């Protein structure tokens, strides 16, 4: 793919409204955009979705940046890959660091698609020209406030509402929501806030006809989720626990979930996402695409993977304006009546807008071909 240079654009973006989950509140979103530049000056873009702190998973942005600078950037430049599907293999000797790997792997896919002059979704094997989207709403201080938020988003046309729950903000909150909205497609995401000791609470949620409950138990657990799924009717959807093809396979075999939320960053990139997609399809496990409060680049990558056939349920790929006063891409992502049109432009389908990006840029780091070729691995 002839990569000459890698730029890491580190951004600080302000969330339009703070986003609260069981593990904390996000006000500023630190974003890293990986730009791969080839010998002809063509650029491919990917987004590293690691959080600022290791609260969702063990990864965090400062560490991911070191991992890209020290390992994955130089390795990619040294490699002779001719297709982005091989990038995962190149990175494989270095364990985990999925979000670091994904930031650069997704950029390689965008670059390749642009080199071919084709939209990324077609290169990935997608066949949808539009995708259904839902919205993920953070915890609010009161039931009245979350009900107001839901009303607004239902009116905007989002096809599925996800609310965050945590111990003490669960059964009664969902009951209050269901009293006002008895029939909307509704689900709850616990972000691993419960244990099997809470099984009575989780059983009570069966009453509310939720589409699914996302990641109720430990963030790396597969075994206890299988026990829980036998005790509750609500389908379990795994998020945090699925960080590779191997543990997707384990979860499916053990019956730990009936649905999987695929996050490209969490599983190390698009190649691994496709592997999980194919496995889930064979096993009749429906998928949807999760989000990590991405800026436009990551959002477009997510939309591209959602065009694969087994992404059956609406994803967390809402409009840019749901997250940001101004996104860093032109045009921005717009969901109309809960549907996003997939762009047919080459690559991810929109331009990174450097004028917009400059306003939120902290710093750009560079990995040159010269530096990369000097580095020795595996001696
Ligand atoms: O668990 O899906 C999650 C945001 C940050 C970290 C984890 C999660 C989320 C969301 C929002 O639910 C998804 C989005 O809209 O990008
Ligand atoms: Mg989740």
């Amino acid at each position: 793919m002839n990569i000459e240079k890698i730029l890491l654009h580190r951004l600080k973006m302000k969330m339009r409204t703070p986003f609260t989950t069981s593990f904390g509140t996000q006000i500023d979103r630190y974003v890293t955009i990986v730009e791969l530049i080839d010998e002809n000056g063509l650029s491919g873009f990917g987004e590293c979705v690691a959080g600022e702190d290791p609260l969702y998973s063990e990864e965090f942005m400062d560490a991911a940046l070191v991992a890209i600078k020290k390992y994955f950037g130089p390795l990619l430049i040294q490699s002779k890959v001719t297709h982005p599907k091989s990038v995962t293999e190149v990175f494989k000797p270095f364990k985990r660091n999925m979000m670091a790997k994904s930031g650069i792997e997704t950029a390689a896919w965008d670059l390749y698609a642009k080199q071919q002059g084709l939209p990324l979704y077609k290169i990935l094997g997608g066949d949808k020209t539009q995708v259904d989207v839902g919205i993920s709403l953070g915890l609010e201080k009161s039931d009245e406030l979350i009900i107001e938020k839901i009303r607004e988003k239902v009116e905007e046309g989002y096809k599925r509402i996800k609310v965050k729950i945590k111990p003490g903000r669960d059964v009664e909150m969902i009951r209050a929501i269901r009293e006002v909205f008895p029939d909307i497609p509704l689900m709850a995401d616990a972000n691993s806030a419960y244990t099997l000791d809470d099984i009575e609470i989780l059983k009570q949620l069966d009453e509310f006809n939720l589409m699914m409950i996302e990641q109720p138990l430990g963030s790396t657990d597969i075994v206890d989720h299988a026990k829980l799924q036998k005790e509750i009717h609500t389908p379990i959807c795994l998020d945090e626990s699925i960080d590779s093809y191997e543990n997707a396979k384990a979860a499916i075999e053990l019956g730990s979930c009936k649905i999987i939320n695929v996050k490209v960053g969490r599983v190390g990139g698009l190649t691994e996402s496709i592997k999980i997609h194919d496995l889930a399809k064979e096993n009749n496990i429906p998928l949807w695409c999760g989000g990590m409060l991405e800026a436009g680049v990551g959002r477009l990558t997510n939309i591209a993977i959602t065009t694969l056939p087994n992404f059956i349920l609406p994803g967390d790929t809402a409009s840019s304006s749901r997250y940001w006063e101004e996104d860093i891409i032109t045009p921005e992502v717009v969901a109309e009546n809960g549907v996003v049109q997939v762009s047919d432009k080459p690559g991810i389908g929109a331009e990174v807008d450097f004028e917009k990006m400059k306003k939120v840029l902290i710093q750009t780091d560079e990995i040159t071909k010269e530096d990369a070729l000097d580095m020795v691995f595996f001696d």
Side-chain angles (χ1 to χ4, degrees):
M1 295 181 59
N2 301 317
I3 294 153
E4 286 288 321
K5 189 159 67 169
I6 300 176
L7 299 178
L8 302 175
H9 304 288
R10 303 166 64 172
L11 318 179
K12 180 182 180 180
M13 294 178 71
K14 196 168 195 60
M15 307 259 349
R16 214 165 170 175
T17 51
F19 186 83
T20 301
T21 63
S22 61
F23 59 75
T25 297
Q26 190 93 40
I27 298 169
D28 293 318
R29 180 75 173 108
Y30 291 86
V31 171
T32 297
I33 301 299
V34 181
E35 178 178 6
L36 303 180
I37 305 176
D38 78 1
E39 57 188 353
N40 299 315
L42 205 56
S43 289
F45 296 93
E47 183 168 332
C48 177
V49 302
E52 180 62 4
D53 302 307
L55 293 169
Y56 166 83
S57 72
E58 76 279 16
E59 288 192 83
F60 59 103
M61 192 59 90
D62 287 351
L65 281 164
V66 171
I68 294 172
K69 281 192 265 189
K70 183 166 180 183
Y71 301 112
F72 305 121
L75 268 175
L76 182 62
I77 290 176
Q78 289 182 7
S79 79
K80 299 273 180 304
V81 292
T82 55
H83 194 286
K85 67 183 181 216
S86 314
V87 174
T88 303
E89 273 309 306
V90 173
F91 293 166
K92 201 162 195 157
F94 293 108
K95 303 288 190 292
R96 298 182 63 86
N97 289 283
M98 284 77 168
M99 294 176 182
K101 288 175 177 172
S102 176
I104 182 164
E105 197 250 11
T106 53
W109 278 96
D110 180 45
L111 178 60
Y112 179 79
K114 285 173 175 155
Q115 288 172 340
Q116 304 296 310
L118 289 169
L120 174 61
Y121 83 92
K122 285 196 178 155
I123 303 257
L124 296 173
D127 60 4
K128 296 179 201 136
T129 55
Q130 51 180 52
V131 301
D132 287 347
V133 298
I135 193 162
S136 172
L137 298 175
L139 284 156
E140 297 286 344
K141 294 237 153 55
S142 70
D143 296 350
E144 289 68 36
L145 284 169
I146 189 73
I147 286 166
E148 270 327 293
K149 274 272 157 71
I150 294 172
R151 191 187 309 285
E152 188 185 304
K153 299 309 172 188
V154 168
E155 277 166 14
E156 284 176 32
Y158 283 103
K159 293 202 185 281
R160 177 224 73 204
I161 303 289
K162 162 165 134 184
V163 293
K164 297 289 187 178
I165 56 170
K166 66 174 186 180
R169 302 280 296 138
D170 41 42
V171 178
E172 293 317 313
M173 182 182 87
I174 300 287
R175 189 188 309 283
I177 294 170
R178 270 301 188 216
E179 273 166 18
V180 182
F181 305 103
D183 302 318
I184 55 166
L186 180 68
M187 61 173 288
D189 184 359
N191 286 109
S192 76
Y194 298 88
T195 71
L196 278 183
D197 292 341
D198 302 309
I199 195 153
E200 289 311 317
I201 298 169
L202 299 167
K203 275 185 184 172
Q204 284 179 59
L205 292 172
D206 274 346
E207 203 189 308
F208 304 111
N209 188 30
L210 299 177
M211 293 170 81
M212 67 193 96
I213 178 167
E214 187 177 340
Q215 196 73 33
L217 309 179
S219 65
T220 60
D221 172 77
I222 287 176
V223 173
D224 282 358
H225 279 100
K227 291 185 189 156
L228 177 64
Q229 185 66 92
K230 288 189 181 68
E231 301 293 323
I232 62 174
H233 297 296
T234 307
I236 293 176
C237 169
L238 288 178
D239 173 355
E240 283 90 329
S241 292
I242 306 298
D243 58 20
S244 63
Y245 170 87
E246 283 75 23
N247 58 19
K249 189 160 172 284
I252 292 171
E253 282 184 20
L254 279 175
S256 315
C257 62
K258 294 182 178 162
I259 299 170
I260 294 174
N261 152 348
V262 172
K263 286 182 184 168
V264 177
R266 193 192 64 224
V267 305
L270 286 162
T271 301
E272 195 78 1
S273 299
I274 295 170
K275 273 178 74 180
I276 294 171
H277 169 272
D278 295 350
L279 173 77
K281 190 163 191 290
E282 276 164 33
N283 288 278
N284 294 313
I285 300 285
L287 303 178
W288 54 279
C289 184
M292 289 293 290
L293 309 174
E294 286 90 350
V297 169
R299 189 162 310 285
L300 289 167
T301 307
N302 292 345
I303 290 165
I305 193 73
T306 306
T307 65
L308 271 64
N310 199 40
F311 283 84
I312 290 168
L313 298 160
D316 277 346
T317 47
S319 297
S320 296
S321 62
R322 181 260 179 278
Y323 306 89
W324 321 112
E325 284 301 332
E326 181 177 76
D327 206 338
I328 56 166
I329 51 167
T330 300
E332 297 197 351
V333 171
V334 181
E336 258 179 281
N337 289 316
V339 174
V340 169
Q341 302 300 325
V342 183
S343 164
D344 259 317
K345 291 192 199 117
I348 53 176
E351 299 301 320
V352 172
D353 191 322
F354 280 79
E355 286 306 311
K356 292 180 182 172
M357 195 160 79
K358 240 195 293 181
K359 298 183 202 167
V360 288
L361 183 68
I362 302 171
Q363 182 183 331
T364 296
D365 301 342
E366 191 177 272
I367 307 167
T368 64
K369 191 168 185 173
E370 243 182 357
D371 294 342
L373 294 179
D374 274 350
M375 295 177 78
V376 180
F377 302 103
F378 321 118
D379 51 344

